[in-house]
Amino acid sequence: MKDGFRRTACVRGSSTGTWKILDRTLQNVVGLDTLKNRLYGLATDGSTYLISRDDGAIWRSCATSQFTSAAADTANWVAAVVVPYESSVVGTFPLTSWSWTFAGLKFESKQLLNWSA
């Protein structure tokens, strides 16, 4: 903690438990265009949309109209799952082997990350 504020970041994980902090301009992932395999996110300014064409490794700004068009294609759009803070809810991420609980993230039932870590 610096200046009394908790620092957070989006991370990219693998099934081996390796984690990488993503571009700090990414505030959160918004969804996935499954047809074109593109991730969309929101920048830390709260108004700029970002796109990743390589599974989240590199993020670039994109036109709002590009995001809106992708999100409107409900047959190919998967919205991101919001993980509730300090919740006992258990869930899974669509199209993956990842799941989450109040304790952290799991891959194929193996605990890989604890929220408090």
Side-chain angles (χ1 to χ4, degrees):
M1 243 195 251
K2 183 179 178 184
D3 304 326
F5 294 99
R6 178 179 284 189
R7 303 293 182 211
T8 61
C10 292
V11 295
R12 179 179 180 199
S14 70
S15 60
T16 62
T18 304
W19 295 91
K20 178 185 174 195
I21 294 176
L22 299 180
D23 189 323
R24 293 283 186 173
T25 59
L26 176 66
Q27 176 177 291
N28 62 286
V29 175
V30 178
L32 169 67
D33 176 345
T34 60
L35 181 65
K36 297 178 181 177
N37 195 32
R38 294 179 178 173
L39 285 166
Y40 287 87
L42 191 61
T44 54
D45 68 4
S47 62
T48 303
Y49 285 100
L50 303 174
I51 188 171
S52 175
R53 294 176 174 92
D54 57 5
D55 297 322
I58 298 172
W59 292 88
R60 301 285 185 243
S61 62
C62 70
T64 300
S65 60
Q66 184 178 1
F67 163 76
T68 304
S69 176
D73 182 5
T74 57
N76 297 302
W77 180 258
V78 178
V81 176
V82 177
V83 179
Y85 181 70
E86 291 186 17
S87 172
S88 60
V89 176
V90 177
T92 59
F93 296 104
L95 310 175
T96 71
S97 298
W98 292 92
S99 63
W100 49 267
T101 69
F102 70 95
L105 289 174
K106 293 182 179 184
F107 183 80
E108 295 179 348
S109 301
K110 179 182 175 189
Q111 189 81 24
L112 293 181
L113 176 74
N114 293 318
W115 298 130
S116 60

